Amino acid sequence: MAKQITAIIVGAGHRALLYGSYALQHPEELRIVGVADPDPIRRRKTAEYFGFGEDMCFESAEALAQLPQCADAVINGTMDTQHVQTAIPLLRRGYDMLLEKPFAVSEEEMWELQRVVQETGRKVMICHVLRYAPFYAAIKERLLNGEIGDIINIQATEHVSYHHLAVSFVRGKWGNKEICGAPMLLAKCCHDMDLLMWLKSGVSPRSIASFGSDFQFDPSKKPQGAGKRCMVDCAIEDQCLYSAKKHYIDHPDRWGFYVWDCLEHIDKPTIEDKIESLKTNNIHGRCMWDCNHSNVDHQSVLINFADGATATLNMIGGTAKPERNLHIIGTKGEIKGVFDDSVFTVRTIDNASEQGWKEEVVDLKIGGDKSGATGSHGGGDLRLVEDFVRVLQGEEPSISCTSLNDSINGHLAVFRAEQARVSGTVAQMPSL
């Protein structure tokens, strides 16, 4: 019987707790035995949720790293700028690690973490969960089988819904890259950039161009009559698409784990508690044009690969509906699909038919970014944890497995794309 893996959660936020929930569904495979987080409320709730004692609650990753190793692994769900600084001492202490993306916010951090992983020999998997979504995993299998030949071009788009853009990338934690450490392309689209590198089967990118801006929420475009807080001093709140009342009071559960984290000290906050927080100190009660926002809301990236193939990634924030689209064109055919529908079409050249092609429609009947028994991200979240456990148990990783080295090109491409966008030049990629 395979060994049960023990793990400690470092950074008890939404993502790490979701990954940890695998232990509740498969206790014979994974057991959460501790938590490190500066927030005493989160430490207490995590201990209660997973059933361990106060002696396994630590105030920081550094405090945990000072003790002898007391678990097999760490699930690192700290904020982006904390990933490397919390990871390094724990890797040196002997822990293997499941590390949330983006695993670094600069090239310097990225290379530093890679050096430590090589020095320690620890196993580090990056949480690029979309690789594990059945939609993308099934497409990868088709590519590995050679069904559309050699890839000529990949076109990927990510439409970020207006309410996701607002809660995370304007009002929320990732609205200002100087504060959060991550530009929009890194915070939202390192998934998508990783997919492009993975689908190209290890062929390195050689050069990158990129364009983008904050088109919608530049303070100079603030509507006349708008105030500083939607529910306090805004004369046009009832007309505004981004009214905090419309987003968070009319739909209080849609992004509850972000919007109401400031009310964690209240066991069961009422709607009156939530209204008061939006009127006072809740960051999500602010006017969208008055959020000290610096990240782009749309960006286009063009990649040239070493074998001459090309790819484009278009991220557009503020769409009515969230949607990821993918179109891969090869020398023998193409694959085209919509992640959120979990449906793709494999179309191949057919000289024998009058129309000139044949096609197969694959419907996985899962749906895209849904929560439930399979986790979110199209069923990828808990499949990622399952693979991590298997790797630590000594089994072969799946085709979706993202070791640190597998993730280098995707992150590096993001850093160079942002360099290209800011400088208005074509950025060159190093040979790895």
Side-chain angles (χ1 to χ4, degrees), residues 88-294:
I88 286 177
L90 292 168
L91 293 170
R92 287 183 170 148
R93 177 54 71 185
Y95 293 96
D96 294 317
M97 187 171 295
L98 185 63
L99 180 57
E100 183 60 287
K101 60 81 193 167
F103 69 80
V105 295
S106 70
E107 289 190 35
E108 294 75 19
E109 275 197 342
M110 180 180 72
W111 299 127
E112 181 184 10
L113 184 61
Q114 186 191 46
R115 282 193 299 272
V116 172
V117 171
Q118 291 172 341
E119 290 168 7
T120 61
R122 303 323 309 163
K123 296 181 178 69
V124 177
M125 278 177 55
I126 308 303
C127 297
H128 284 303
V129 293
L130 288 184
R131 288 191 182 199
Y132 288 87
F135 175 82
Y136 290 109
I139 288 174
K140 178 67 173 179
E141 289 278 8
R142 300 292 182 122
L143 295 177
L144 291 173
N145 292 337
E147 293 187 29
I148 65 167
D150 297 327
I151 294 174
I152 302 169
N153 177 261
I154 305 176
Q155 302 158 30
T157 64
E158 181 175 5
H159 295 170
V160 185
S161 73
Y162 68 97
H163 51 80
H164 193 179
L165 180 71
V167 78
S168 294
F169 306 106
V170 180
R171 289 179 170 128
K173 297 176 181 178
W174 297 275
N176 185 300
K177 63 184 177 182
E178 287 74 30
I179 296 174
C180 74
M184 178 72 165
L185 194 65
L186 185 65
K188 187 70 182 82
C189 292
C190 66
H191 277 313
D192 306 88
M193 197 71 85
D194 172 72
L195 287 171
L196 293 178
M197 304 303 147
W198 181 55
L199 296 172
K200 275 296 293 172
S201 298
V203 179
S204 296
R206 282 290 173 259
S207 54
I208 297 181
S210 183
F211 304 91
S213 67
D214 176 18
F215 185 84
Q216 301 176 73
F217 302 109
D218 186 298
S220 67
K221 295 183 178 181
K222 184 172 181 174
Q224 187 174 0
K228 287 189 172 293
R229 283 196 169 265
C230 300
M231 300 178 69
V232 175
D233 60 353
C234 183
I236 60 168
E237 179 274 322
D238 62 337
Q239 308 162 36
C240 182
L241 292 176
Y242 290 91
S243 156
K245 177 182 179 297
K246 292 185 179 75
H247 281 225
Y248 313 125
I249 299 301
D250 294 352
H251 304 282
D253 298 325
R254 181 186 279 160
W255 293 102
F257 48 83
Y258 288 155
V259 180
W260 311 123
D261 62 354
C262 61
L263 299 178
E264 283 184 330
H265 61 288
I266 302 175
D267 187 33
K268 293 182 180 179
T270 64
I271 199 70
E272 289 76 19
D273 293 327
K274 294 176 179 180
I275 290 171
E276 181 62 20
S277 80
L278 291 175
K279 287 182 175 181
T280 54
N281 59 358
N282 191 324
I283 61 174
H284 299 285
R286 297 176 297 169
C287 173
M288 288 282 284
W289 287 268
D290 201 17
C291 286
N292 192 25
H293 169 63
S294 68

